[in-house]
Each structure stands twice: as C-alpha cells, then as structure tokens.
Amino acid sequence: MTHSGAYVYDPDRPAGSLHLRAARVLEGNWTGTSTVPSHGLYPHQWSWDSAFIAMGLRHLSPLRAQTELETLLGAQWGDGRIPHIVFNPSVPLDAYFPSPDFWRSSTAGRAAGAPRTVQTSGIVQPPVHALAAWLVHQADPGLSRSRSFLSRMYPRLAAWHRYLLHRRDLGGGGLASVVHPWEQGMDNSPCWDAPLSRVTPAAPRSFRRADLDHGSAEDRPTDLDYGRYVRLATDYRDGGYADGAGEFAVEDPAFNALLIASEHALAAIAQELGAAGTARHARAERLTAALVERLWDPAEGMFFCRDVYGGDERGGESYGGDARDEGESGALGSERGSAESGALASKRRSSESGAHGSERGSRSGALAPEQHSAESSAHASEQRSRAGALIPERSVAGLLPLILPALPRDIAATLVRTAGGPHFGLGGVARLAPSYDLTGHAFDPHRYWRGPAWFNTNWLLERGLRLHGEHGRAEELRAALLETADTSGFAEYVDPYTGEACGALGFSWTAALTLDLLHEPARADQADRPDRADRADQSTHVVSHPGHRAFDKAQGTPPHTSHASHTPHTPHSSFETGAKGGDRG
C-alpha cells in the first residue's frame, strides 16, 4: 500500500521488496498523464525518459504505460519531431531552465508545426519510442488492440523516424545527426568538447541555472559549457528550428543504434497491423551498415561520434584525419595500434584547450510527408555529403550498437572485449559500465556524463550482451544493476567503482528499468542470435497478468478486457520477448 492508500500490484513479494519500492517510485512521480523523472530537478515530461519509464510501467499497468507514450506523442510537431520536453503548465517557470518562455515553441516553431495547445522544447532526444510502444503492446495485446494503441501510434512513430532519416541526415551518409548535446541524452559527455569549442557561449548573466538548486556544482556542467548549450539552443530557436544551419552537428552511435532498434520495432508493429514490415527491416539493416561504415574504428575496437562539421570549412580541427581520405574502413586509421596513439593524444590536447567543462492536443495521426515545410525540400536538395571527422573520445555510446541484431559478429565480439577492458572495466574494476573512459583525460566518477554509470545505458548493454550470446556477462551485469538500484535508492546515476548515489534519488527510469530486470526470465530461448533464419518458426505468446487490472482499478483507471491470443512474429532483437504471466514483457 502506498502513502496515498492505493494498492500496487506486487505478486508474491514481501513488503519492502525491491519490486514494491520501485513501483512506489513510479507512483510517486506520476502526474496523472505522465511520469516526471524526479519532482525536484526534472519536474516535466522528458522524451526518452518516458520511453524507458513505459517499459517498466508495462509490468504494473499496461494502460498507464500506453498513456505515458500517448501523452508524449500528443505533443509531436507537424514535421515529425518528438520534443525532448513536454512542459507541465502548473509548474512555475523558474523551477526549470530552459523553461517554456525560453523555447517559445508555439511561436518560434510555427513553421515546423509545433503544437499550439502545449508548450515544448524544440530539440529532440534518442528515438527509443517505437521500441517502447512495441514492448508495451506485448505486455497486454488484448488491451492494446481494444484501444487501437498501435494503429494510433504507428503513423506518429513513422513520421518521427522520417524526420530523423531525412531532415537530420546532415552528414549525407544516411545517419541522423544531433544538433545539440542535450539531444543525444548524454548531455555533458567529453565527446562534445571539441565541437562545442566552436560555439561562442551566451553571456553568464543572460540565464539562470535552476539545476544548481538541486545538485552540487562539482557534479554539474560548468558555466562555460552551459553558456554554449544556451547559445546553441538560442540560435536554433531564432532560426525557426530549421535543421542544418547551426554550428553543431554530430552523428552519435547510441542515438543511431536506438533509431535502428526502433526501426526493427516499427517493422514488428507494421506486421501486427497487417503489413509486411520487410521494408523497415531492410532499412534497419542498411542503417546498421552505414553505422559501421561511418562510425566504427577497428583499431580502437569501438564506435566513435562523428563531428559532421569537423575537418571542413565549417569545422577546423580534423582530429587526426579522416579514413575516407585514406581508403580505410576505420575512420581513425587502422595504423593506430595503441589506445594513446599520436592522433588520439593530439585530439585530447585539442579538446582540453576547448570546451572541456563539466556538466549535465492531438492532431492528425498521419503526419504525411506533404505536411513538411517547403524548407525541408530545399534543405534536402542543398545537402551535400560531409566526411567530417571522428571524435576519438571513448563514451559508453560507442558500446551501445551491441543492441543491434545485424551487427557483424566480429564487431560484436570486439565490443564485448572493449567493454571488459581497461577503458570501461565491466565485470572487473567497475561495478557498472561508466559513461566515459576510466582512463580518459576528462574522467570524473561523479561529474554528469563524464564518468558516472547510468542505469539506462547499462540496461541497454545487458540486453546487447544477452542478444549476442554473452549470457554469463549479461547476468552479472543484471545482478549488479539490481544491487546498485537497491543500495542507491534508485539514484539517477552512480559512481562506477563504488555504486555511490549521485544526482536525484527516486529517479523514474532507474525504478522502471529495475522492474524490467526483475521481470526478466532466464530466456534460454535466446541462446542463438535472434536474426538467425532457424528461429523463424518460433513465436511469442503473451498474456496479461490479472494484477494489472488490480493496479489500474486502484489508480482510478477504467477496466479492460484482456485476450491471451497474439499474432506470432519472428523476434528481431533481444527486446522482443513477451510478458509470460507477468514476467519479462
């Protein structure tokens, strides 16, 4: 029973169990239509937070999980973008910066189709949403079908992907670019230091940082970095949120890996709705090939971010050269044998002299291409391919393509070795994989995204390890995640060595992903890779647990009828396992 007297679904678990405490966090952060990451530091709805939260909520209430995603996508822009923040109008403006009056979405974003009835930011976050929608459907397909959940979500999710694949292909190589560090989700990563060094920061007195009211300045971004974040956002807003005109454009491996995983999920959704889905699977495999071509460095054994404007007339620093000019498959050059090669050391010196601070109304569902502005066509016709330059900073983002089923086996095996090596220490010196290289020049175990371990990135790594047959390593990571969530009070992030809590406590995606891990069965059926043809005859049977309705009733949500039947499908990633009697969904 919660503090409000409502009962929470908790099958056969003792009072005070990790499961029940995680459920209480999600209930405490629920606003009635969505879940805040934390009431103090993050009092609005965040895009990729809500996707991860929905993945955990589906184990408690598939209805609430659907509502979470419906609320977020209800704020989608006409050009297809899903904004990274949907603002709660009841929250005071000074509670969070940048606030709605900074973004001015309904006016500055008018040409891009920003909604008029709700205020949002103008930038985006990683595209985890189709993946979340598919998993939420699997948790209770009867409820999903009765509410036409997927048929309502699909056109919006398709428009979201179309926006990223067309409007954000700023490098011309097929991958989506982020135009602000906040878009990638790992806000203060050292990967952004060199590209940010080209940005003139906003004057310190032109904004007030509300984040310092809730966290130590030593753990947050520096004022210099924050000034650059504000400048980028201001210029993007003042340009009407048109893509391709700013000073910052980076192809990130994690952002694109999540787009590819969600493209596979969209294919599964299409199949559920009666379409073939083969074109989306093919697109996902082409994007995987582009990811390898543009961002994989075989000598360093991981993926790196590509600075689209680096090494050309807009970017200056080349970071040691580009493989496209050298005829190599790895953009940092296969001749670089050591981790501390000359090019890497040169880049390190360059980044240190730069910005190395330290931080962190529904409309038509169709959103057809003709709704995009004329500027979109002009942008596409003027776009030219940019080689850019890889940024040789080792971020956990460079390991996350492990979630992709079509990743070549040798690359997957190399990523596993890199994760367990000295730079990330997974399964060794580090309790959880750090957000940044343990041996890196900018590593700080407590500074926002410059070293601490985060639960969502480690949850993705756990899935990737399991997908590629590393079940022992995956189980070790799962156990470490559950123990750390328990001892840290569901912290926002932790010291990767000790598990010491950092940032906000009672953090929603930490609680949600804890629930997901608690519902995870042994999954012996994933001993082989799920993209193998010999798995084509295997299907997933999904049923609803009766506890879902008990939770919904306690929360005042309407009852529903659940059906156990489910259309068979072939899994295309480790995420596509159904909820079996209330287990992993």
Side-chain angles (χ1 to χ4, degrees):
M1 181 174 290
T2 68
H3 65 277
S4 62
Y7 285 96
V8 174
Y9 164 56
D10 186 37
D12 303 321
R13 290 177 172 86
S17 68
L18 184 61
H19 180 283
L20 183 56
R21 286 184 284 120
R24 283 172 172 162
V25 168
L26 294 181
E27 186 198 1
N29 289 340
W30 175 250
T31 67
T33 56
S34 64
T35 310
V36 298
S38 70
H39 280 291
L41 187 54
Y42 307 106
H44 302 284
Q45 183 179 24
W46 261 258
S47 173
W48 76 325
D49 289 73
S50 278
F52 288 120
I53 289 164
M55 294 177 194
L57 276 176
R58 68 196 165 115
H59 300 297
L60 299 175
S61 169
L63 180 58
R64 182 176 288 189
Q66 291 179 29
T67 303
E68 183 82 36
L69 295 174
E70 290 163 353
T71 300
L72 178 67
L73 268 67
Q76 186 173 21
W77 290 30
D79 65 1
R81 80 182 75 193
I82 297 175
H84 98 295
I85 302 175
V86 180
F87 290 105
N88 182 343
S90 66
V91 174
L93 288 178
D94 62 358
Y96 184 81
F97 178 84
S99 52
D101 57 343
F102 171 88
W103 295 104
R104 306 172 199 164
S105 61
S106 59
T107 54
R110 185 179 296 120
R116 297 182 180 181
T117 58
V118 63
Q119 293 297 311
T120 76
S121 64
I123 60 175
V124 303
Q125 276 191 322
V128 203
H129 311 90
L131 181 59
W134 177 239
L135 293 177
V136 167
H137 163 79
Q138 287 185 300
D140 193 333
L143 170 68
S144 175
R145 293 174 188 136
S146 70
R147 299 185 70 247
S148 301
F149 173 65
L150 290 183
S151 61
R152 289 184 291 110
M153 292 293 103
Y154 182 83
R156 291 184 174 276
L157 293 167
W160 169 221
H161 285 208
R162 186 164 56 243
Y163 166 78
L164 292 173
L165 292 171
H166 295 283
R167 297 287 296 277
R168 287 301 190 88
D169 183 12
L170 303 179
L175 300 181
S177 292
V178 296
V179 299
H180 195 290
W182 290 340
E183 291 198 314
Q184 193 266 356
M186 304 178 193
D187 308 3
N188 192 42
S189 171
C191 295
W192 320 135
D193 290 352
L196 278 176
S197 68
R198 299 192 293 266
V199 178
T200 302
R205 295 183 180 180
S206 65
F207 60 91
R208 176 188 173 275
R209 296 182 54 182
D211 63 313
L212 297 181
D213 295 340
H214 303 278
S216 169
E218 288 74 22
D219 293 347
R220 303 293 298 175
T222 64
D223 287 341
L224 176 62
D225 284 338
Y226 220 91
R228 288 179 166 127
Y229 302 154
V230 172
R231 171 66 66 189
L232 278 178
T234 301
D235 290 349
Y236 193 39
R237 177 199 67 199
D238 293 347
Y241 296 110
D243 295 309
E247 299 177 83
F248 185 99
V250 174
E251 294 172 355
D252 174 77
F255 191 100
N256 281 279
L258 289 168
L259 174 60
I260 295 166
S262 280
E263 190 69 17
H264 279 304
L266 263 187
I269 293 172
Q271 288 176 298
E272 165 67 22
L273 296 176
T278 52
R280 290 203 174 275
H281 283 310
R283 181 181 294 116
E285 293 183 358
R286 290 196 300 272
L287 287 169
T288 302
L291 185 75
V292 172
E293 178 188 357
R294 300 242 335 147
L295 305 185
W296 174 248
D297 181 359
E300 300 296 342
M302 66 181 299
F303 291 87
F304 287 91
C305 293
R306 179 176 290 275
D307 180 1
V308 172
Y309 300 147
D312 67 14
E313 71 276 10
R314 294 183 63 170
E317 182 66 50
S318 66
Y319 313 147
D322 182 65
R324 288 174 175 268
D325 300 326
E326 300 172 23
E328 299 170 309
S329 61
L332 292 184
S334 58
E335 75 276 9
R336 288 176 24 184
S338 69
E340 291 299 324
S341 65
L344 180 57
S346 173
K347 163 58 180 65
R348 291 188 186 283
R349 288 192 295 271
S350 171
S351 69
E352 286 177 26
S353 66
H356 78 270
S358 303
E359 168 178 49
R360 185 178 130 146
S362 70
R363 304 177 304 282
S364 167
L367 290 169
E370 58 267 22
Q371 290 178 281
H372 294 180
S373 66
E375 183 274 332
S376 174
S377 300
H379 165 73
S381 64
E382 294 171 3
Q383 180 173 292
R384 62 187 178 84
S385 179
R386 296 182 183 276
L390 288 193
I391 305 170
E393 295 284 7
R394 298 181 183 88
S395 161
V396 70
L399 303 178
L400 295 188
L402 201 59
I403 66 175
L404 301 178
L407 197 66
R409 290 179 182 272
D410 59 330
I411 291 180
T414 301
L415 285 176
V416 172
R417 289 195 297 271
T418 301
H423 299 294
F424 294 95
L426 190 61
V429 296
R431 178 177 297 197
L432 299 177
S435 51
Y436 175 69
D437 184 359
L438 294 171
T439 70
H441 69 104
F443 175 77
D444 184 328
H446 291 174
R447 179 81 74 168
Y448 205 62
W449 289 110
R450 301 179 84 86
W454 292 72
F455 286 83
N456 63 332
T457 55
N458 277 270
W459 180 86
L460 289 165
L461 278 177
E462 193 268 355
R463 294 307 186 269
L465 289 168
R466 206 174 291 276
L467 169 65
H468 291 282
E470 297 287 342
H471 298 287
R473 288 186 173 91
E475 189 56 37
E476 288 178 4
L477 181 53
R478 174 180 177 270
L481 278 164
L482 291 175
E483 179 186 6
T484 306
D486 188 8
T487 57
S488 71
F490 304 102
E492 181 182 1
Y493 52 99
V494 299
D495 183 308
Y497 292 117
T498 67
E500 176 188 348
C502 302
L505 300 182
F507 200 70
S508 288
W509 79 24
T510 303
L513 298 178
T514 296
L515 282 171
D516 194 62
L517 292 168
L518 288 170
H519 283 261
E520 178 180 277
R523 293 203 286 181
D525 62 331
Q526 291 188 16
D528 295 325
R529 286 166 55 94
D531 54 328
R532 289 270 299 274
D534 57 7
R535 291 179 54 81
D537 62 340
Q538 299 190 30
S539 63
T540 301
H541 183 66
V542 183
V543 298
S544 173
H545 197 288
H548 293 159
R549 282 191 288 178
F551 185 89
D552 293 340
K553 184 177 180 181
Q555 305 308 310
T557 47
H560 63 271
T561 302
S562 179
H563 303 281
S565 61
H566 178 58
T567 303
H569 73 283
T570 302
H572 283 266
S573 81
S574 62
F575 299 94
E576 296 187 42
T577 53
K580 301 178 178 68
D583 286 334
R584 164 98 180 142

